[in-house]
Amino acid sequence: MSTLILFLPPARPGPATEYSYTLTADGHTALRHATAPAALLPEPTRPGGEVVAVVPARALSWQRVSLPPGLPLGAGQQTPRLRSVLEGLLEDRVLDDAAQLHFAIAPGAHAGSPVWVAVCDRAWLRENLQALEAAGRRVSRVVPEFAPGPTASGGPELCALGTPEEAYVVLTGQGPEQGVAVLPLTHMALTLARTGMPPAGASGAGGEENDALMVRAEPAVAALAERTLGQQGQRIALHTSTQRALDAARGDWDLAQFDLASTGRTRAVRKVGSAMSAALYAPQWRAARWGAGLLVVAHVVGLNAWAWQERQSLAAKQAGVRNALTQTFPQVQVVVDAPVQMERELALLRQAAGSVSARDLEPLLAAAGAALPNGRQPTGIEYTPGELRLRGVALEPDEEAALSARLQAAGYRARLDDGSLLLRAEGAP
């Protein structure tokens, strides 16, 4: 399943608002990336593709709260009661009115233990989603640009973003709770970020922690980040917005919760589609795809070999029947339908010897006379080879069943047809 990943703009959307987007087929490699208005955004390249909206780091606030025990937190249990609890817990921690904010709880959160809650402006997020839906790009998931939790390096990481005039850094994996913080790109901010981290080892040496800190930067601010961190010998790795979009879309978060949540069916379809896309296109499934392909090829080859053996066996049997016909009746020069020709030759032999077969008139009349109830006499008799029709025979349902049973035991089939009894030998067509 292909995915269109786009960054939501920091301001509320308008007619000229443009979205930075990345189009991917497997979630790991970008097919295309550019900037376009909502109406000109590309569609996912495969049926069932999804649109993922990324919330910028500076548009989110991360709060750590402990929810009361016994409070349901499932995907289908984001009730007004849960939102009221979150508003009460976060009312003193946020600057805006809690009723005007949107909340999203970390995936896999459990009541009674600390959980991360993402907070952003509700009207801003809703208007962006509505603008995209009006343009025919209905958003399936809303993910954060950076989320709390373990980092790829296993330690704290810094990512420098923005423009040279307004540069900032995002600190991930911060502290024992592995939180997210947004700071100005200044030497003092980086120093505060380092001193706020727990020691890397038992010795608590600052040099060990400096070595453990990974720093990445967008190309636009890479030189500024290099100058800012140059005195500390930090190596800066380039990290584009396309790479951040792909990393964010692969995360487990979905900020579309409470009044913005998708239905259970939509979530299930999205999950199945993502799993199928990963199985078909993700690099980590390449070995499994090769194995499945080899298995299919082996089955196809085996089925063809089995079919060839069956054809050979059938051809041998047909050749045996033809040989039996030509050896038993040498006068037959051309074999068209061996069973029919053999039956015809046998009939000629019986006729020449003066014997009768079950398809002749006398055996048919004898079988009918033995099976008919007493006193039932036909008014007319018609005979064709292998078939006898007795007109004027009327039978009750129980008499018809008994007649059929007696004739079947003698090797004949019988049925009533428009006031007539039709009698045939079992082998007759």
Side-chain angles (χ1 to χ4, degrees):
M1 182 172 64
S2 62
T3 305
L4 173 65
I5 311 169
L6 50 91
F7 279 91
L8 298 181
R12 292 192 174 183
T17 300
E18 293 190 342
Y19 297 84
S20 174
Y21 70 86
T22 298
L23 190 64
T24 176
D26 57 6
H28 296 265
T29 306
L31 298 177
R32 193 193 328 167
H33 58 90
T35 301
L40 300 180
L41 288 171
E43 294 186 5
T45 55
R46 293 184 180 87
E50 64 173 354
V51 179
V52 178
V54 180
V55 178
R58 291 200 292 182
L60 282 175
S61 170
W62 296 97
Q63 303 294 333
R64 187 81 165 169
V65 300
S66 294
L67 297 175
L71 192 65
L73 301 180
Q77 298 173 321
Q78 294 165 349
T79 60
R81 178 193 171 200
L82 177 57
R83 177 172 175 85
S84 299
V85 171
L86 291 174
E87 289 182 2
L89 293 173
L90 299 174
E91 185 176 6
D92 297 332
R93 302 192 190 184
V94 295
L95 298 177
D96 297 327
D97 183 5
Q100 298 177 356
L101 299 175
H102 176 72
F103 304 126
I105 301 173
H110 300 283
S113 60
V115 298
W116 282 108
V117 178
V119 184
C120 68
D121 185 87
R122 181 195 288 184
W124 166 81
L125 180 58
R126 183 187 295 276
E127 289 176 10
N128 272 289
L129 297 181
Q130 289 175 347
L132 290 169
E133 185 172 357
R137 304 298 182 269
R138 183 180 180 87
V139 175
S140 305
R141 279 193 303 145
V142 181
V143 299
E145 185 178 13
F146 297 91
T151 60
S153 63
E157 295 182 2
L158 279 172
C159 188
L161 306 174
T163 62
E165 296 77 19
E166 192 179 357
Y168 61 97
V169 293
V170 179
L171 173 63
T172 55
Q174 180 189 22
E177 296 174 347
Q178 299 175 324
V180 176
V182 179
L183 305 167
L185 180 56
T186 62
H187 177 72
M188 181 62 68
L190 295 177
T191 302
L192 291 175
R194 293 176 183 278
T195 57
M197 298 177 189
S203 63
E208 294 179 7
E209 186 175 337
N210 289 347
D211 293 339
L213 184 63
M214 178 178 181
V215 181
R216 295 175 294 181
E218 276 191 322
V221 295
L224 178 60
E226 189 75 32
R227 290 195 302 270
T228 304
L229 301 175
Q231 296 177 356
Q232 299 167 350
Q234 283 286 352
R235 296 182 60 186
I236 307 299
L238 293 181
H239 195 61
T240 64
S241 60
T242 297
Q243 292 171 311
R244 295 201 314 279
L246 294 172
D247 293 341
R250 289 195 300 268
D252 297 330
W253 275 85
D254 188 359
L255 303 181
Q257 300 181 19
F258 295 100
D259 55 332
L260 300 180
S262 303
T263 62
R265 180 179 179 183
T266 302
R267 287 193 300 271
V269 171
R270 185 172 65 235
K271 186 177 295 184
V272 172
S274 299
M276 292 180 61
S277 175
L280 291 175
Y281 303 104
Q284 62 267 29
W285 287 93
R286 185 175 292 113
R289 291 195 294 269
W290 273 102
L294 291 175
L295 184 62
V296 170
V297 171
H299 275 284
V300 171
V301 172
L303 287 174
N304 279 289
W306 175 77
W308 179 81
Q309 291 180 347
E310 290 296 317
R311 287 195 298 269
Q312 294 297 108
S313 176
L314 179 61
K317 292 178 180 179
Q318 292 174 341
V321 172
R322 289 194 297 269
N323 291 336
L325 173 61
T326 55
Q327 291 175 5
T328 306
F329 304 101
Q331 67 274 16
V332 177
Q333 299 297 325
V334 179
V335 179
V336 179
D337 190 338
V340 174
Q341 290 176 279
M342 186 173 291
E343 185 178 358
R344 185 182 301 117
E345 295 296 328
L346 288 173
L348 291 175
L349 287 177
R350 284 194 298 268
Q351 189 176 18
S355 60
V356 295
S357 68
R359 302 180 61 203
D360 291 334
L361 176 61
E362 293 85 352
L364 287 169
L365 286 173
L372 283 171
N374 295 330
R376 303 297 174 87
Q377 299 294 331
T379 59
I381 297 177
E382 294 181 6
Y383 169 74
T384 56
E387 180 178 291
L388 178 66
R389 182 182 295 272
L390 303 178
R391 297 190 177 278
V393 177
L395 299 175
E396 299 295 331
D398 56 341
E399 294 176 337
E400 182 180 355
L403 175 69
S404 297
R406 287 194 293 268
L407 288 174
Q408 189 172 8
Y412 295 93
R413 290 179 297 167
R415 63 182 177 89
L416 287 177
D417 182 21
D418 193 21
S420 301
L421 176 65
L422 187 62
L423 187 67
R424 291 180 179 176
E426 286 286 356

